[in-house]
Structure formats: C-alpha cells, structure tokens
Amino acid sequence: MSNWRDEYIQALSDRDLREKEGYSRINEDFIGAYRTAALEAEKAAAEESKTAATDSKTGKDPARTGGNTQLRSDLAEALRSNGQLQSRVRVAEAELKDLKIKTKSDSRRLEQLERERAILQRKVRDRDEEISGKTRLVETVQDEMISLNLQLNMSEQTVKKLKAENKELIDRWMEWKGREADEMNKTLG
C-alpha cells in the first residue's frame, strides 16, 4: 500500500521541480524582453537626437520631427509589449503542455485506483459471503451437537432404565428359581 504513496510524493516533487524551472524561464524571458525594450527605447532616443540635430541643420519642420519621434516611441513600446506578450505566450504554452501531461498521468492513475478499489470491494464482498457461509455452517454444527447431546442423554436414561429393569427381572427370576429349587428339595428330600 505504501507504493502509491511513494509514487504520489515523487509526482509532487517532480511537479515542484517543473514549476521552479518554469519560474526561472519566466524570469529570464521577462528580463530579456525588458532589455530588448530598453535597447529599442535607447536606440529610438539616439535616432531622435540625430534626426533632431540633422533637421535643425537642414531646417526641416520640427513638428514633423516630433511626429517621427512619437512614432518611434510608439514603435519601441509596441516592440517591447510584443516581446513581453510572446514570452508570456511561450510560458503559457509550456504550462499548458505540462498540465496536459499531468492531467493524462492523473487520469491514468485515477483509473488504476478505481480498478484497484473495485477489486478490493469484490474481495470484501466475497470475504463477507464466505464468513456468513461459515457462520451458518457453525450454527448448523452447533444445532446438530445440541440434538446429538439430547439423543445421548435420552439413550443414557433409557440404558439406566433398562439396566434397572433387567436387574429387577434377574432378581425376580433368581428368586423364582430359588423357590423352585427349594420346593424340589422338599419334595425329594
């Protein structure tokens, strides 16, 4: 019975290890996405300052340059957001895969435990039927013993009665034969 407990504890330990690995992947992906966004933002700022310097030398419209700066800033934000979302999707897919595997494993284990429970219930039913059969057999044997004891007691009483009757008959017969012998002796003698 301790076998399933060991397997269960091992499965929990494996799950904890997978979760820790997942957390470290999440942290690495998050840090990577943050660095990417920061680099994109620095790159955009650097390009903006170059463009602003070039535009001021060439005499271009600063409103147009501001629009480009805003677009670049929006693009950097979109890229950073995209990187974060992609890393979250990868993490979610990995967790989904792990959960599907765990669900399959748990469902197999559940089916196995249900089969084992059914077998044990059948054994208990069989054992109960066996016990009730043996109980009936014991009761039958006890009833027969009581009946045989009663018959034995009655037989012993009959034997005593017959012995007493036989003794009485022998005594009367001996007395009768003794009188016959006395009469024969008197007539002969």
Side-chain angles (χ1 to χ4, degrees):
M1 281 292 165
S2 67
N3 187 18
W4 69 268
R5 288 184 185 136
D6 294 339
E7 290 176 9
Y8 183 71
I9 290 171
Q10 182 61 40
L12 288 176
S13 299
D14 293 344
R15 183 206 59 195
D16 291 343
L17 288 175
R18 282 193 308 270
E19 286 179 357
K20 286 179 184 176
E21 290 172 2
Y23 292 144
S24 66
R25 281 194 312 248
I26 291 171
N27 288 340
E28 290 170 4
D29 291 342
F30 180 73
I31 291 169
Y34 181 76
R35 286 181 182 160
T36 303
L39 290 174
E40 291 292 329
E42 287 177 16
K43 183 178 177 183
E47 286 180 12
E48 180 183 326
S49 64
K50 283 182 187 178
T51 306
T54 306
D55 287 345
S56 63
K57 290 180 185 176
T58 60
K60 287 190 178 178
D61 185 16
R64 190 171 167 203
T65 307
N68 285 342
T69 306
Q70 181 62 36
L71 286 175
R72 287 184 181 137
S73 157
D74 290 345
L75 177 63
E77 178 63 28
L79 289 173
R80 183 187 65 77
S81 170
N82 187 25
Q84 287 178 345
L85 290 175
Q86 285 179 348
S87 67
R88 287 175 61 189
V89 166
R90 282 193 303 270
V91 168
E93 287 175 348
E95 284 182 26
L96 177 64
K97 181 181 175 185
D98 290 343
L99 289 174
K100 283 182 180 179
I101 292 170
K102 185 180 183 301
T103 301
K104 285 180 184 178
S105 171
D106 289 346
S107 65
R108 274 187 254 128
R109 182 66 181 146
L110 181 62
E111 289 172 2
Q112 179 185 6
L113 289 173
E114 286 175 349
R115 283 192 303 267
E116 191 174 321
R117 185 189 73 184
I119 290 169
L120 291 173
Q121 285 177 336
R122 194 174 322 118
K123 284 182 179 180
V124 166
R125 256 193 324 270
D126 292 347
R127 186 75 35 88
D128 287 343
E129 289 174 5
E130 183 181 334
I131 288 172
S132 67
K134 286 182 179 180
T135 302
R136 280 180 290 199
L137 180 64
V138 166
E139 289 172 355
T140 304
V141 167
Q142 286 176 341
D143 289 345
E144 285 183 24
M145 284 178 56
I146 290 170
S147 172
L148 289 174
N149 279 335
L150 287 173
Q151 288 178 358
L152 180 64
N153 288 339
M154 290 174 60
S155 296
E156 286 176 353
Q157 287 175 358
T158 305
V159 166
K160 282 182 182 178
K161 184 179 174 185
L162 288 175
K163 279 184 180 180
E165 191 177 308
N166 188 29
K167 185 178 185 230
E168 183 184 332
L169 287 173
I170 289 174
D171 288 343
R172 282 181 23 203
W173 184 75
M174 290 298 284
E175 185 181 317
W176 180 65
K177 285 296 180 180
R179 273 185 298 198
E180 249 181 34
D182 285 342
E183 284 178 18
M184 243 183 173
N185 284 338
K186 279 186 193 179
T187 53
L188 289 174

